[in-house]
Amino acid sequence: MLKNILSILLVIGLITGCRKDFEYARGPIANSIVGKWAFTEYFMSPGDAGNWYKAKPRGRVIHFKADGSFSATREGFKQFTKYELLNTGKIRLSAADSGNTMLLVFSIDTNNAWLFTYPGESICIEGCSDKYRLVK
C-alpha cells in the first residue's frame, strides 16, 4: 500500500515538475523590450479577417537582456545572440557565428504585458504577427 502511495506521489511530482507553464507579469509594465517573453499566440489571415492561434509547442521563449545579448528556445530564433534597437519599434537580431540578421518590427502593450512582433524585411500577404507574454 505504501509503495502505491509513493508511486502515485512520484508520478504527480514528475508531471507537475516538468510543466512549461510560466508565471506571467501583469500590466502595467515598463515600455521596454528587456526581459524574457514567452511565445503564446500567432496571427494568420489566409485571405479572410484572420484569427489568433495558440502557439505550439508551448514554452518557447525569447530573452532580451539589458547588455544587448539575446537568447531563445524558439525555433527560427536560436541562432541569434545579440540585438540592437534601431529606432522606436524596430529591432535587429544578429548571429555572431554566421553574420545572419533578422529585422523585426515590434510593439509593446504596457497595460497587458504583451509584446507583438512583425517581420521587418518581408511582407506577409496574408497578415502575420507573433504575440508574447512577459515572464516574471
Side-chain angles (χ1 to χ4, degrees):
M1 178 72 169
L2 182 59
K3 283 185 179 180
N4 289 340
I5 292 172
L6 290 174
S7 296
I8 291 170
L9 290 174
L10 179 65
V11 169
I12 290 171
L14 288 173
I15 290 171
T16 58
C18 296
R19 291 179 60 172
K20 293 245 183 187
D21 289 341
F22 299 104
E23 185 175 345
Y24 296 116
R26 302 256 184 246
I29 61 168
N31 190 19
S32 173
I33 194 100
V34 173
K36 184 185 281 189
W37 300 87
F39 180 47
T40 58
E41 297 177 67
Y42 63 96
F43 180 81
M44 283 184 46
S45 173
D48 58 11
N51 291 301
W52 286 98
Y53 300 94
K54 295 288 182 197
K56 293 180 186 175
R58 295 179 60 202
R60 302 294 187 215
V61 297
I62 57 176
H63 191 176
F64 297 94
K65 298 171 187 145
D67 66 358
S69 60
F70 175 83
S71 62
T73 59
R74 184 172 175 212
E75 293 299 324
F77 292 87
K78 290 180 182 180
Q79 67 175 317
F80 301 110
T81 57
K82 295 183 179 187
Y83 75 94
E84 175 186 7
L85 288 172
L86 301 178
N87 57 32
T88 303
K90 289 188 181 176
I91 193 162
R92 182 179 319 261
L93 302 176
S94 60
D97 295 341
S98 65
N100 290 342
T101 63
M102 176 188 289
L103 182 65
L104 294 174
V105 176
F106 73 92
S107 63
I108 298 173
D109 177 347
T110 59
N111 290 327
N112 298 299
W114 291 108
L115 168 69
F116 297 90
T117 63
Y118 318 88
E121 297 171 320
S122 61
I123 297 172
C124 294
I125 296 170
E126 290 124 3
C128 57
S129 179
D130 292 334
K131 189 176 184 182
Y132 299 85
R133 186 78 186 262
L134 184 62
V135 176
K136 279 189 177 181

